[in-house]
Amino acid sequence: MSKSAAQRIDWGALGTKLKPDTLAQISVFRRRHQELTKLVGELREQNKSIDFAFYESKLQNKKVVSEAKKTFEQFKPAAFDLQQQLKVIQEHEQQAVQLAKQTEQKIQVELKELQELLVNIEQARPVDELTVDDVAKAYPELEETVAKMAKRGQWRVPGYYERFGEFAVGF
């Protein structure tokens, strides 16, 4: 079942839909899975039988061969409880789903804000049609700043002449 699931995934399209760090983690996992699958395939193809008769004919100490044969025949692979590992994987999946949902919510909020901004841009008047009153209405703090500067007798905007230079019309 896992083979068919892995084959059904469009890895190219998946790369465009995920965050770079998530994609990197999946790539590492996928590469490791491919390496292990290849290793398991190679190990299955190897000869699993031992020709003890060959070793008995070559070695003088037959006792070593008979002990090795006895040990080999009594060998049983250890069984591991995979429940703990499956639980860790399931927790990781739940975290990934939770992060994906949070990301989706953030993107929805961002998308809504961008759509509102687009509507505002489309409905905005061109700059050449704006009046001083329109700018003062949009930025009330600007009117206060100008009033303070005029009260102090400060008629130059700090940094303006350094940045744009002196504008003088010759008559």
Side-chain angles (χ1 to χ4, degrees):
M1 181 172 176
S2 64
K3 278 187 179 180
S4 63
Q7 291 172 348
R8 286 187 299 218
I9 294 174
D10 183 4
W11 295 103
L14 188 64
T16 61
K17 297 176 183 176
L18 296 175
K19 289 182 179 179
D21 58 335
T22 306
L23 186 61
Q25 290 176 347
I26 289 174
S27 296
V28 168
F29 179 78
R30 184 175 173 215
R31 190 173 330 122
R32 181 73 176 138
H33 177 265
Q34 288 172 343
E35 290 170 1
L36 291 174
T37 303
K38 181 181 175 185
L39 180 64
V40 166
E42 290 172 0
L43 290 174
R44 284 185 178 152
E45 292 174 5
Q46 288 181 357
N47 187 6
K48 297 176 191 101
S49 63
I50 299 175
D51 186 10
F52 289 104
F54 170 79
Y55 291 106
E56 284 178 349
S57 67
K58 296 292 182 188
L59 297 174
Q60 294 177 354
N61 190 351
K62 310 291 184 208
K63 184 177 179 185
V64 171
V65 177
S66 64
E67 285 180 23
K69 184 177 182 180
K70 179 181 170 188
T71 304
F72 181 76
E73 289 171 351
Q74 291 176 350
F75 174 76
K76 290 186 175 122
F80 291 100
D81 182 23
L82 298 178
Q83 294 305 317
Q84 183 66 20
Q85 292 174 342
L86 291 174
K87 184 178 177 184
V88 169
I89 291 170
Q90 196 172 34
E91 288 173 3
H92 187 69
E93 284 177 355
Q94 288 173 349
Q95 282 180 336
V97 167
Q98 220 171 15
L99 286 173
K101 287 179 181 178
Q102 290 173 354
T103 303
E104 181 186 17
Q105 289 173 350
K106 288 178 185 177
I107 289 173
Q108 292 297 334
V109 168
E110 236 177 87
L111 187 59
K112 183 179 176 186
E113 290 173 357
L114 288 172
Q115 286 173 341
E116 289 173 2
L117 180 63
L118 184 61
V119 168
N120 287 341
I121 290 172
E122 289 172 348
Q123 294 176 351
R125 286 189 293 173
V127 175
D128 58 349
E129 293 179 14
L130 291 177
T131 64
V132 173
D133 292 332
D134 293 334
V135 175
K137 187 177 177 183
Y139 297 99
E141 67 275 1
L142 183 64
E143 193 172 359
E144 294 172 19
T145 304
V146 171
K148 285 180 188 176
M149 289 174 67
K151 188 175 182 179
R152 289 188 222 143
Q154 183 181 7
W155 303 106
R156 292 180 173 219
V157 176
Y160 179 84
Y161 292 101
E162 290 80 12
R163 186 168 179 192
F164 299 108
E166 183 82 31
F167 179 72
V169 178
F171 289 104

